[in-house]
Amino acid sequence: MQADGIVRLSKIQVNPDYLDEYMKYAVEVGTISLETEPGVLTMYAVADKDNPCNITILETYASQEAYKSHISSDHFQKYKQGTLHMVDSLLLDDVTPINPDNRIINFINPSAASEPSHD
Amino acid sequence: MQADGIVRLSKIQVNPDYLDEYMKYAVEVGTISLETEPGVLTMYAVADKDNPCNITILETYASQEAYKSHISSDHFQKYKQGTLHMVDSLLLDDVTPINPDNRIINFINPSAASEPSHD
């Protein structure tokens, strides 16, 4: 990560009426971002067990440039515009890792093919 | 991770009077846990930029057994007992990753030696 990189906890409250649909968008944008954007270092989304409408995403961007590239990408814009009416609230909580030597590598399991299998 | 594994966001509010001291304990327990406990899959702690007393830790345990082993370890007990008076609030928020194919590997940078360097 460069000096101007971003580590963020995005906290999203999804309208319960749209939760299933929202999840499809969120899984898709996370997968495409991790697989195609070298500057997207993490995009790890979790839902509260007690309330699955509360989503937290650990997002890490290598630089401001990587972040700008991400938010202007087709896949992010599809997610953003497609889910606007599903999101009750969104909080972008920028954070600092407390130990700079603590490293995370985040990726989509390579055996989970994005394309349909021909086996 | 096994079927009974745990993914958790631990949310800690540290008393501002003790923040520097708390950080030393938190960095130490995270480092030792990742380096010595194979069942501790992630321990990634971040502090809000706006309020560094708000700490969030992404914790992943491979199984209930791994979690029990962790909380009974000497290094966790040192952290827990040593910081009790520094912590204003603690919320253990168990979560579910929204995409099971989204994988994280978390480790301490191997070039950051735990032992003093003899270079």
Side-chain angles (χ1 to χ4, degrees):
Chain A
M1 194 166 74
Q2 296 173 33
D4 68 346
I6 299 168
V7 185
R8 175 175 290 168
L9 294 174
S10 290
K11 299 172 183 180
I12 299 147
Q13 196 146 23
V14 181
N15 185 310
D17 292 343
Y18 297 106
L19 186 57
D20 289 349
E21 200 180 350
Y22 175 85
M23 288 298 191
K24 290 176 196 157
Y25 277 92
V27 167
E28 183 182 82
V29 74
T31 300
I32 297 176
S33 301
L34 285 173
E35 289 187 335
T36 67
E37 294 188 74
V40 174
L41 303 183
T42 75
M43 190 159 289
Y44 188 68
V46 297
D48 284 8
K49 277 190 184 290
D50 285 349
N51 181 357
C53 292
N54 287 342
I55 310 283
T56 304
I57 310 177
L58 174 64
E59 299 175 26
T60 310
Y61 303 96
S63 63
Q64 294 289 333
E65 193 58 35
Y67 178 61
K68 284 179 196 160
S69 168
H70 172 68
I71 59 177
S72 66
S73 69
D74 287 346
H75 50 276
F76 177 77
Q77 285 301 322
K78 177 183 174 187
Y79 160 81
K80 186 70 182 176
Q81 302 305 325
T83 61
L84 271 179
H85 63 292
M86 307 178 189
V87 171
D88 283 345
S89 74
L90 168 64
L91 181 69
L92 305 181
D93 185 8
D94 282 2
V95 298
T96 306
I98 71 168
N99 179 1
D101 291 319
N102 189 320
R103 301 289 167 81
I104 272 189
I105 296 174
N106 184 204
F107 57 94
I108 302 297
N109 177 11
S111 70
S114 308
E115 303 294 325
S117 166
H118 298 290
D119 289 350
Chain B
M1 194 167 74
Q2 297 173 32
D4 68 345
I6 299 168
V7 185
R8 175 175 290 168
L9 294 173
S10 290
K11 299 171 182 180
I12 298 147
Q13 195 145 23
V14 180
N15 185 310
D17 293 343
Y18 297 108
L19 186 57
D20 289 349
E21 199 180 350
Y22 175 85
M23 288 298 192
K24 290 177 196 157
Y25 276 92
V27 167
E28 182 182 82
V29 72
T31 300
I32 296 175
S33 299
L34 285 173
E35 288 187 335
T36 68
E37 294 188 74
V40 174
L41 303 183
T42 76
M43 190 160 287
Y44 187 69
V46 297
D48 284 8
K49 277 191 184 290
D50 286 349
N51 180 355
C53 292
N54 286 343
I55 311 284
T56 304
I57 310 176
L58 174 64
E59 300 176 23
T60 310
Y61 303 97
S63 63
Q64 295 288 332
E65 193 59 35
Y67 178 61
K68 284 180 197 161
S69 169
H70 172 67
I71 58 177
S72 66
S73 69
D74 287 348
H75 50 276
F76 178 77
Q77 284 302 320
K78 177 184 174 186
Y79 159 81
K80 186 70 183 177
Q81 302 306 323
T83 61
L84 272 178
H85 63 291
M86 305 176 189
V87 172
D88 283 345
S89 74
L90 167 64
L91 181 68
L92 305 181
D93 185 7
D94 283 3
V95 297
T96 307
I98 72 167
N99 178 1
D101 291 319
N102 189 319
R103 302 289 167 81
I104 272 188
I105 297 173
N106 184 204
F107 57 95
I108 301 298
N109 178 10
S111 70
S114 307
E115 303 293 325
S117 165
H118 298 290
D119 289 349

